[in-house]
Amino acid sequence: MTIQFTNNNGDATITLCGRLDTSVSTEIKSEIDKNLATAGNINSLTMDAEGLEYISSSGLRILLVLAKSYKNFKVINVNPDVYDVLNMTGFSKIIKVERALRQLSIDGCEQIGVGGVGTVYRLDGDTIIKVFREGTTIDEVRKEITMSKEAFVMGTPTAISFDIVKVGSQYGLVYELLNAETLSSCIKRAPERIEEFARQYANLFRQLHSIEVPADSNVSDAIEHERQQILHIRRYFPQESIDLLLQILDAIPTSNRLLHLDLQVKNTMMQGDELMLIDMGEMGYGHPVLDLGHAYSAMVLLIGDYDKTIGIPRELGNKVWDLAINYYFEGLPADVIEQRKAQIDVVARIRNFSWLALSDSFPESVIKQCQELFDQRITARRDYILDVCKTFKDWTL
């Protein structure tokens, strides 16, 4: 039996490996007590049981003492055998116990979608898995589940995950989606149906944007999230460039409509005849122009490998967008539609560069390309952009 103790600014972890039986329990308790006594102030205490093979009644008494002494005590990464003991003895009712996540492999699995925070693979005919990018925390994964459930309750066609897993060192969410494929795959397989697909795509936006997010929802403010992303990329751009992006953002009217914020065609699943959302990691509330600007940034202005990211050639993707946005604004006067398209184009310029905040490990060549394009797409059009920003107030809901 081995024990390891770590303390990260008051968040302490006890890691156990082996069998916590009667023969070692006294020694283990003594070592735990010694570490805790010298650790200073402890805000939370976690026992990592990933390597714990067995626990006896004397081991359970150690857990009970720790639970009584530390309000935020929890046991994580518990294997099935140990979990059964904790469950049958009632410990799972008085102590927060988290099962160990099962490991899955995506070797040989078809990649079917790429989003801002992860990549989607097909596991088999019935299930798909979204693998989050390296560095994503378990709390961020759980947040996505929460957002998906809230969106579902509010009327969004969202698939709900039924399992959190590990894929190597990364987290994954498993979804049951029968006969589902990405919208980009549908368009590529049947380009003659492009107008039908574009209308469905537009209707999905309209469905989302018709939903008003209640004040007590866990859905976050999309404008503030975008602001944090802009501030995060200050390392790549001069302050005057950051200020211009913030000026565009500040001109966007406030609203409480539901926004997906990464709704491109390779990030949308077609199940039967219905479009489904599986990537809700960036979901927020705000004005629809921000959501449409994000989508336009991907579907039209994307920086990088278009075919790989969107799943179809750029020319075809641009055509889908042109059709979809006209369907989205169907019924409005032509001059209003043109003005709103210009507003979307300007807002998209933010996402063109704020996406760099999704990771701190992009290649230097990608960062350099973005820096060069910033001058071309924003700095050189500053006056035009600021003139369009003055019209944002005209887009009422």
Side-chain angles (χ1 to χ4, degrees):
M1 183 76 201
T2 62
I3 177 174
Q4 181 181 0
F5 182 85
T6 59
N7 185 11
N8 183 18
N9 297 321
D11 296 325
T13 300
I14 300 167
T15 302
L16 299 180
C17 293
R19 295 172 60 85
L20 183 51
D21 55 28
T22 305
S23 66
V24 299
S25 60
T26 300
E27 178 185 348
I28 293 298
K29 184 179 185 307
S30 176
E31 192 167 349
I32 290 174
D33 290 343
K34 182 177 65 176
N35 281 305
L36 293 174
T38 59
N41 186 45
I42 293 179
N43 302 318
S44 67
L45 180 62
T46 300
M47 179 171 288
D48 188 336
E50 184 174 8
L52 185 63
E53 302 167 5
Y54 171 82
I55 187 167
S56 66
S57 58
S58 55
L60 293 174
R61 284 193 289 273
I62 294 174
L63 300 188
L64 189 58
V65 170
L66 292 174
K68 289 180 177 180
S69 303
Y70 297 91
K71 184 178 179 181
N72 295 323
F73 178 66
K74 63 181 177 180
V75 185
I76 65 172
N77 293 328
V78 181
N79 71 42
D81 290 338
V82 173
Y83 184 85
D84 285 344
V85 173
L86 296 176
N87 194 39
M88 286 187 296
T89 55
F91 270 70
S92 59
K93 294 181 180 179
I94 59 175
I95 296 174
K96 185 175 181 181
V97 178
E98 297 178 6
R99 292 175 181 267
L101 301 180
R102 62 188 178 112
Q103 277 280 351
L104 290 182
S105 171
I106 56 172
D107 291 345
C109 292
E110 175 194 5
Q111 179 182 310
I112 59 176
V114 179
V117 296
T119 304
V120 179
Y121 300 87
R122 178 167 298 287
L123 287 175
D124 52 45
D126 295 341
T127 55
I128 61 176
I129 181 172
K130 176 182 175 182
V131 181
F132 290 81
R133 58 187 170 86
E134 197 76 52
T136 302
T137 67
I138 186 68
D139 288 338
E140 290 173 313
V141 176
R142 287 173 179 150
K143 178 187 175 185
E144 175 149 339
I145 294 176
T146 300
M147 293 299 98
S148 296
K149 290 178 179 177
E150 290 219 17
F152 182 82
V153 170
M154 285 188 278
T156 305
T158 305
I160 304 298
S161 170
F162 62 84
D163 197 10
I164 301 177
V165 299
K166 293 293 289 289
V167 180
S169 61
Q170 295 165 260
Y171 291 106
L173 283 179
V174 180
Y175 298 83
E176 183 178 38
L177 280 177
L178 304 177
N179 303 316
E181 59 180 322
T182 64
L183 179 56
S184 61
S185 295
C186 294
I187 294 168
K188 193 171 185 178
R189 178 173 47 80
E192 71 279 4
R193 297 174 60 192
I194 189 170
E195 293 199 19
E196 173 191 344
F197 293 135
R199 183 174 286 279
Q200 287 180 284
Y201 184 42
N203 286 341
L204 182 56
F205 275 111
R206 295 178 73 163
Q207 183 177 355
L208 281 172
H209 300 162
S210 69
I211 296 171
E212 297 187 43
V213 177
D216 61 351
S217 169
N218 289 312
V219 177
S220 59
D221 185 337
I223 290 289
E224 287 310 308
H225 178 68
E226 193 82 5
R227 188 183 311 280
Q228 293 308 310
Q229 291 195 316
I230 293 172
L231 295 176
H232 190 85
I233 62 172
R234 284 182 294 189
R235 67 192 71 185
Y236 306 130
F237 301 97
Q239 187 60 46
E240 57 266 28
S241 298
I242 297 299
D243 289 343
L244 184 51
L245 292 181
L246 290 172
Q247 198 168 349
I248 300 170
L249 186 67
D250 289 338
I252 298 174
T254 59
S255 183
N256 66 342
R257 300 305 173 92
L258 186 64
L259 313 178
H260 183 272
L261 300 174
D262 195 19
L263 194 50
Q264 47 100 335
V265 295
K266 198 177 180 182
N267 203 19
T268 308
M269 303 299 297
M270 180 75 78
Q271 181 172 257
D273 295 324
E274 183 182 19
L275 287 181
M276 301 284 291
L277 297 172
I278 61 169
D279 185 353
M280 306 301 289
E282 294 191 72
M283 187 178 80
Y285 68 83
H287 194 285
V289 69
L290 187 59
D291 206 8
L292 295 166
H294 274 222
Y296 183 81
S297 176
M299 295 295 296
V300 178
L301 301 177
L302 183 88
I303 299 173
D305 189 332
Y306 192 96
D307 283 37
K308 180 179 179 181
T309 304
I310 306 301
I312 51 180
R314 187 182 289 270
E315 183 180 357
L316 187 56
N318 289 177
K319 185 176 180 181
V320 172
W321 176 260
D322 288 341
L323 288 167
I325 201 63
N326 284 328
Y327 286 137
Y328 182 88
F329 291 126
E330 199 168 36
L332 292 178
D335 60 329
V336 173
I337 293 175
E338 288 309 306
Q339 183 185 69
R340 293 192 177 182
K341 286 181 178 179
Q343 293 164 340
I344 291 168
D345 174 80
V346 165
V347 171
R349 309 289 161 156
I350 301 175
R351 178 65 168 185
N352 253 196
F353 306 99
S354 67
W355 67 272
L356 288 172
L358 295 174
S359 174
D360 291 330
S361 57
F362 286 114
E364 188 63 32
S365 58
V366 172
I367 296 168
K368 190 173 188 305
Q369 183 183 16
C370 288
Q371 291 169 329
E372 292 170 352
L373 283 172
F374 192 99
D375 290 336
Q376 174 187 327
R377 294 186 174 184
I378 296 187
T379 306
R381 307 184 69 202
R382 179 188 179 90
D383 292 342
Y384 166 77
I385 287 172
L386 294 180
D387 283 342
V388 172
C389 286
K390 295 175 184 176
T391 71
F392 285 170
K393 63 183 185 301
D394 299 331
W395 187 335
T396 57
L397 300 174

